[in-house]
Amino acid sequence: MDHSADTTPAWQQDIFKVLKEGGVRQIAYVPDAGHSHVIRSAIADPDIEDIVLTTEEEGVAVVSGAWLGGQRAVLLMQSSGVGNCVNMFSLLACANFPFFTLVTMRGEYADFNPWQGPMGRATQGALELMGITVLRASDPDQVEEIVRAGFDAAFEAGDRVAVLLGQNLIGRKKWERK
């Protein structure tokens, strides 16, 4: 399979560029097609440790531990994983850790899977209820700026930030009809 930069959308390349330039040393994730370029880039980069999770809430602890160890880390997840993290988000508030996550959205933009809808609709509200600032990127030309702004708010100002990457960025899923 060819994963060259020629076949990767520019907005996905921009995300990895922001993380690399920002000194991220750890990227924690549950595998997700929407994050595939960043995941592959982290795996290929000897300066970044890629950490595969079994569930997203583990990532909250991983990125918090990275911060305690003097490193910047990012959590990649899908909107369905936000629901798994709500209790662990208490760690961020209680310990006042900076936090940065990139969330690919599901349950919007004509998603075929009805199971994705409820959490997709609740993602932003759940994050905000837990004290996490939410930014949204839906235009490919604005992804880099929005990700950079969220990254700086987390790691320069000490905020807790989630950037929601709209499902329309990745494209509508098309499935064969029976």
Coordinates of all heavy atoms in Angstrom, one line a residue, residues 105-139:
M105 N -14.4 12.9 14.1 CA -15.8 12.8 14.4 C -16.5 11.7 13.6 O -16.1 11.4 12.4 CB -16.5 14.1 14.1 CG -16.1 15.2 15.1 SD -16.4 14.8 16.8 CE -18.2 14.8 16.8
R106 N -17.5 11.0 14.2 CA -18.4 10.1 13.6 C -19.8 10.5 14.0 O -20.0 11.3 14.9 CB -18.1 8.7 14.1 CG -16.8 8.1 13.6 CD -16.7 7.7 12.1 NE -17.9 6.9 11.6 CZ -17.9 5.6 11.6 NH1 -16.9 4.9 12.0 NH2 -19.0 5.0 11.1
G107 N -20.7 9.9 13.3 CA -22.1 10.2 13.6 C -22.6 11.5 13.0 O -23.7 12.0 13.5
E108 N -21.9 12.0 12.1 CA -22.4 13.2 11.4 C -22.0 13.1 9.9 O -21.5 12.1 9.5 CB -21.7 14.5 12.0 CG -20.1 14.4 11.9 CD -19.5 15.6 12.6 OE1 -20.0 16.2 13.5 OE2 -18.4 16.0 12.1
Y109 N -22.4 14.0 9.1 CA -22.1 13.9 7.7 C -22.5 12.6 7.1 O -21.7 11.9 6.5 CB -20.6 14.2 7.4 CG -20.3 14.6 6.0 CD1 -20.8 15.7 5.4 CD2 -19.5 13.7 5.3 CE1 -20.5 16.0 4.1 CE2 -19.1 14.0 4.0 CZ -19.6 15.2 3.4 OH -19.3 15.5 2.1
A110 N -23.8 12.3 7.2 CA -24.4 11.1 6.6 C -23.7 9.8 7.0 O -23.6 8.9 6.2 CB -24.4 11.3 5.1
D111 N -23.3 9.7 8.3 CA -22.7 8.4 8.7 C -23.8 7.3 8.6 O -24.9 7.4 9.0 CB -22.3 8.6 10.2 CG -21.3 7.5 10.6 OD1 -21.5 6.3 10.2 OD2 -20.3 7.9 11.3
F112 N -23.3 6.2 8.0 CA -24.2 5.1 7.8 C -24.5 4.3 9.1 O -25.5 3.5 9.1 CB -23.6 4.1 6.8 CG -22.5 3.3 7.4 CD1 -22.7 2.0 7.9 CD2 -21.2 3.9 7.5 CE1 -21.7 1.3 8.5 CE2 -20.2 3.2 8.1 CZ -20.4 1.9 8.6
N113 N -23.7 4.4 10.1 CA -23.8 3.6 11.3 C -24.6 4.3 12.4 O -24.1 5.2 13.0 CB -22.4 3.3 11.8 CG -22.3 2.3 12.9 OD1 -23.3 2.1 13.6 ND2 -21.2 1.8 13.2
P114 N -25.8 3.8 12.7 CA -26.6 4.5 13.7 C -26.0 4.5 15.1 O -26.3 5.4 15.9 CB -27.9 3.7 13.6 CG -27.6 2.4 13.0 CD -26.4 2.6 12.1
W115 N -25.1 3.5 15.4 CA -24.5 3.5 16.7 C -23.5 4.7 16.9 O -23.2 5.0 18.1 CB -23.7 2.2 16.8 CG -24.6 1.0 17.0 CD1 -25.0 0.1 16.0 CD2 -25.3 0.6 18.2 NE1 -25.9 -0.8 16.5 CE2 -26.1 -0.5 17.9 CE3 -25.3 1.1 19.5 CZ2 -26.8 -1.2 18.8 CZ3 -26.1 0.4 20.4 CH2 -26.8 -0.7 20.1
Q116 N -23.1 5.3 15.8 CA -22.1 6.4 16.0 C -22.9 7.7 16.3 O -22.3 8.7 16.8 CB -21.3 6.6 14.7 CG -20.4 5.4 14.4 CD -19.2 5.4 15.4 OE1 -18.9 6.3 16.1 NE2 -18.4 4.3 15.3
G117 N -24.1 7.8 16.0 CA -24.9 9.1 16.1 C -24.9 9.6 17.5 O -24.6 10.8 17.7
P118 N -25.4 8.9 18.5 CA -25.6 9.4 19.9 C -24.3 10.0 20.4 O -24.3 11.2 20.9 CB -26.1 8.3 20.7 CG -26.8 7.4 19.7 CD -26.0 7.5 18.4
M119 N -23.2 9.3 20.4 CA -21.9 9.9 20.9 C -21.4 11.0 20.0 O -20.8 12.0 20.5 CB -20.9 8.8 21.1 CG -19.7 9.2 22.0 SD -20.2 9.6 23.6 CE -19.3 11.1 23.9
G120 N -21.6 10.9 18.7 CA -21.2 12.0 17.9 C -21.8 13.3 18.2 O -21.2 14.3 18.3
R121 N -23.1 13.2 18.5 CA -23.9 14.4 18.9 C -23.5 14.9 20.3 O -23.6 16.1 20.6 CB -25.4 14.1 18.9 CG -25.9 14.0 17.4 CD -27.4 13.9 17.4 NE -27.9 12.7 17.9 CZ -28.0 11.5 17.3 NH1 -27.6 11.4 16.0 NH2 -28.5 10.4 17.9
A122 N -23.0 14.0 21.2 CA -22.7 14.3 22.6 C -21.3 14.7 22.8 O -20.9 15.2 23.9 CB -23.1 13.2 23.5
T123 N -20.4 14.5 21.8 CA -19.0 14.6 22.0 C -18.6 16.0 22.5 O -17.9 16.1 23.6 CB -18.2 14.3 20.7 OG1 -18.4 12.9 20.4 CG2 -16.7 14.6 20.9
Q124 N -19.0 17.0 21.9 CA -18.6 18.4 22.3 C -19.1 18.7 23.7 O -18.3 19.2 24.5 CB -19.1 19.4 21.3 CG -18.6 20.8 21.7 CD -18.8 21.9 20.6 OE1 -18.9 21.5 19.4 NE2 -18.7 23.1 20.9
G125 N -20.4 18.4 23.9 CA -20.9 18.7 25.2 C -20.2 17.9 26.4 O -20.0 18.5 27.4
A126 N -19.9 16.6 26.1 CA -19.2 15.8 27.1 C -17.8 16.4 27.5 O -17.5 16.5 28.6 CB -19.1 14.4 26.6
L127 N -17.1 16.8 26.4 CA -15.8 17.4 26.6 C -15.9 18.7 27.4 O -15.2 19.0 28.4 CB -15.1 17.7 25.3 CG -14.6 16.4 24.6 CD1 -14.4 16.7 23.1 CD2 -13.4 15.8 25.2
E128 N -16.9 19.6 27.0 CA -17.0 20.9 27.7 C -17.5 20.7 29.1 O -17.0 21.4 30.0 CB -18.0 21.7 26.9 CG -17.4 22.2 25.6 CD -18.4 22.9 24.7 OE1 -19.6 22.8 24.9 OE2 -17.9 23.6 23.8
L129 N -18.4 19.7 29.4 CA -18.8 19.4 30.8 C -17.6 19.1 31.7 O -17.6 19.3 32.9 CB -19.8 18.3 30.8 CG -21.2 18.8 30.5 CD1 -22.1 17.5 30.3 CD2 -21.8 19.7 31.5
M130 N -16.6 18.5 31.1 CA -15.4 18.1 31.9 C -14.3 19.1 31.8 O -13.2 18.9 32.2 CB -14.8 16.8 31.3 CG -15.8 15.6 31.5 SD -16.4 15.4 33.2 CE -14.9 15.0 34.1
G131 N -14.6 20.3 31.4 CA -13.7 21.5 31.5 C -12.7 21.5 30.3 O -11.7 22.2 30.5
I132 N -13.0 20.8 29.3 CA -12.1 20.8 28.1 C -12.5 21.8 27.1 O -13.7 21.8 26.7 CB -11.9 19.4 27.6 CG1 -11.3 18.5 28.6 CG2 -11.1 19.4 26.3 CD1 -11.3 17.0 28.3
T133 N -11.7 22.7 26.6 CA -12.0 23.6 25.6 C -12.1 22.9 24.3 O -11.2 22.1 24.0 CB -10.9 24.7 25.5 OG1 -10.8 25.4 26.7 CG2 -11.2 25.7 24.4
V134 N -13.1 23.2 23.5 CA -13.3 22.5 22.2 C -13.2 23.4 21.1 O -13.8 24.5 21.0 CB -14.7 21.8 22.2 CG1 -15.0 21.1 20.8 CG2 -14.9 20.8 23.3
L135 N -12.3 23.0 20.1 CA -12.2 23.7 18.8 C -12.6 22.7 17.8 O -12.5 21.5 17.9 CB -10.8 24.2 18.6 CG -10.1 25.0 19.7 CD1 -8.6 25.3 19.4 CD2 -10.9 26.3 19.8
R136 N -13.1 23.3 16.6 CA -13.6 22.4 15.6 C -13.0 22.8 14.3 O -12.9 24.0 13.9 CB -15.1 22.4 15.4 CG -15.6 21.5 14.3 CD -17.1 21.6 14.2 NE -17.8 20.5 15.0 CZ -18.0 19.3 14.5 NH1 -17.6 18.9 13.4 NH2 -18.6 18.4 15.3
A137 N -12.5 21.8 13.5 CA -11.9 22.0 12.2 C -12.7 21.2 11.2 O -12.8 20.0 11.3 CB -10.5 21.6 12.2
S138 N -13.4 21.9 10.3 CA -14.2 21.2 9.2 C -13.7 21.6 7.8 O -14.1 20.9 6.9 CB -15.6 21.5 9.4 OG -16.1 21.0 10.6
D139 N -12.9 22.6 7.7 CA -12.4 23.1 6.5 C -10.9 22.7 6.4 O -10.1 23.1 7.2 CB -12.5 24.6 6.4 CG -12.0 25.2 5.1 OD1 -11.2 24.6 4.4 OD2 -12.4 26.4 4.8

